[in-house]
Amino acid sequence: SIHDWIRVISRFSTLQVLDIVSINASDHLDSEFLENHRHLRLPNLTILRYIRSTKCQVNMPFFMYFANNEVLAPRLRSLTMMCGDLVYICKHLPANFRFTRFQELRLYGNGADGRISLPDIVRILEIFPNLHHFWIHVQSSRTINRTIELVVEEILRSLPNLVSLRLSCKKHSLRLPSLVDG
């Protein structure tokens, strides 16, 4: 349950990196839960790695409890997720919602995530406008090669603070034609 996860995490208040991997918490946060855990503080937490459950379900309230809670983790600046999970989250957030605190985003993609599409990247970039470092690692280049040029152009155009962009894949080759100056 979420309560069990929070109980364990709260025992390590000096955490700098929190890896939540293969989580299968399906219960939801309610006002009683939030009241019982309002004193939880992770002041040193800078990196959150939230990797999908074995059932490929994202528990939105649990994710948002960490990602959008600046009192809980005021130094949180880096997020690592599966691409499909982040797209799911982005589609369920209000149109004007922004994660302005995140400066680094690492996305992983495999066959279960489907192809990386330009509209999904546009939505991610709208929600994460202050990225300095953006990394996309795909299992196979087939998931991004059809849109790679448009995706790269959109990333470069949309992120004025971008310092580094990394695209990598495990199988096959990424095909990046030369970008047109414009």
Side-chain angles (χ1 to χ4, degrees):
S1 72
I2 291 175
H3 179 74
D4 294 335
W5 279 90
I6 298 294
R7 191 167 30 108
V8 171
I9 291 167
S10 67
R11 296 172 65 192
F12 302 95
S13 61
T14 60
L15 285 174
Q16 294 179 8
V17 177
L18 178 57
D19 284 337
I20 301 175
V21 179
S22 297
I23 183 169
N24 286 312
S26 58
D27 49 333
H28 292 282
L29 301 178
D30 55 23
S31 58
E32 180 183 340
F33 173 87
L34 294 173
E35 181 63 27
N36 291 338
H37 293 92
R38 69 177 179 190
H39 299 295
L40 177 61
R41 300 289 184 268
L42 301 172
N44 300 321
L45 183 66
T46 58
I47 299 171
L48 173 61
R49 295 183 187 125
Y50 191 101
I51 306 297
R52 76 166 47 115
S53 71
T54 54
K55 295 180 181 177
C56 298
Q57 297 172 345
V58 176
N59 186 311
M60 287 283 292
F62 187 58
F63 170 77
M64 294 300 284
Y65 179 72
F66 288 100
N68 198 36
N69 189 338
E70 293 196 32
V71 173
L72 169 72
R75 296 178 63 207
L76 183 61
R77 299 290 181 264
S78 179
L79 175 64
T80 300
M81 289 194 80
M82 297 299 292
C83 190
D85 291 351
L86 188 59
V87 168
Y88 172 84
I89 288 170
C90 289
K91 287 180 178 180
H92 288 85
L93 292 172
N96 62 347
F97 186 88
R98 302 291 179 264
F99 279 121
T100 56
R101 68 190 303 185
F102 288 104
Q103 296 176 359
E104 180 176 324
L105 180 60
R106 293 174 180 244
L107 297 179
Y108 290 89
N110 64 28
D113 294 298
R115 294 193 183 275
I116 295 176
S117 71
L118 185 59
D120 291 341
I121 291 295
V122 168
R123 183 69 176 129
I124 289 169
L125 296 174
E126 288 172 355
I127 291 176
F128 293 88
N130 295 331
L131 293 179
H132 293 205
H133 309 280
F134 192 23
W135 188 50
I136 300 174
H137 177 76
V138 292
Q139 188 71 17
S140 170
S141 63
R142 293 178 185 158
T143 61
I144 195 170
N145 267 346
R146 288 185 183 175
T147 60
I148 193 167
E149 186 174 3
L150 297 172
V151 165
V152 170
E153 286 177 351
E154 187 64 32
I155 292 168
L156 295 175
R157 181 181 17 254
S158 301
L159 299 174
N161 300 321
L162 190 66
V163 173
S164 66
L165 171 63
R166 180 178 179 182
L167 297 173
S168 60
C169 71
K170 191 170 183 176
K171 295 190 288 187
H172 310 104
S173 297
L174 291 174
R175 293 186 315 247
L176 183 60
S178 61
L179 298 173
V180 178
D181 252 356

